[in-house]
Amino acid sequence: CSTVFPDCRPNHPFEFFSPNDRLEVVKNAYAGGDIVKGFPKVGELAMRTGRYIARVALGKEDKPFKPVVINVTKLPKGKALYIKTDLPWNGNTLVTKVSRFRYLTKSFLERYYLVSNGRMGLLEKL
């Protein structure tokens, strides 16, 4: 490998990378998750960048990465607010919903994460 990235911790105050639309910093060296400049520090977006990079490395992906933020926030009375948007990247998608189903789904995922010790692989195949 001719490209060596710094230690896992960003240099002070912070060092982030500006990859191209395929998350490539330089040829065959990728940045994903919390070290991508301009990306919010959201776990599901970080996981999707990692999965995308893996597919690119395996030659199974040739389309540009399209960032989308998905957030589910629990509300009182057993409901949850669901937000999905790509507006920060000049997209045109903004979906908002309030539902009991999202509340139940988020509750299940929170419990499943604890029970599985953070191994969410089973859900990836669904």
Side-chain angles (χ1 to χ4, degrees):
C1 178
S2 60
T3 302
V4 178
F5 285 86
D7 191 9
C8 291
R9 287 170 271 130
N11 295 332
H12 185 72
F14 295 105
E15 182 177 342
F16 298 101
F17 297 94
S18 299
N20 62 20
D21 64 353
R22 298 181 188 280
L23 299 180
E24 194 173 43
V25 178
V26 296
K27 186 166 176 55
N28 297 322
Y30 301 88
D34 292 352
I35 64 170
V36 176
K37 186 174 187 176
F39 276 23
K41 310 310 175 220
V42 181
E44 60 84 22
L45 178 59
M47 287 186 284
R48 281 192 287 111
T49 61
R51 290 178 58 209
Y52 173 84
I53 291 168
R55 288 192 310 271
V56 168
L58 293 170
K60 296 182 177 186
E61 183 70 65
D62 62 351
K63 297 176 191 166
F65 181 76
K66 301 287 185 189
V68 175
V69 172
I70 301 169
N71 189 12
V72 179
T73 304
K74 287 183 177 179
L75 300 173
K77 299 182 182 177
K79 294 194 177 186
L81 172 64
Y82 168 82
I83 302 169
K84 177 182 178 180
T85 186
D86 62 0
L87 295 177
W89 300 278
N90 300 318
N92 57 9
T93 301
L94 175 59
V95 177
T96 60
K97 298 177 184 178
V98 174
S99 72
R100 174 113 174 106
F101 175 75
R102 303 285 181 189
Y103 179 89
L104 295 171
T105 302
K106 182 168 178 99
S107 297
F108 167 77
L109 290 173
E110 289 171 342
R111 287 182 180 92
Y112 182 78
Y113 183 83
L114 293 174
V115 170
S116 68
N117 293 320
R119 291 185 214 98
M120 304 294 279
L122 167 73
L123 295 175
E124 183 176 310
K125 297 176 182 176
L126 297 178

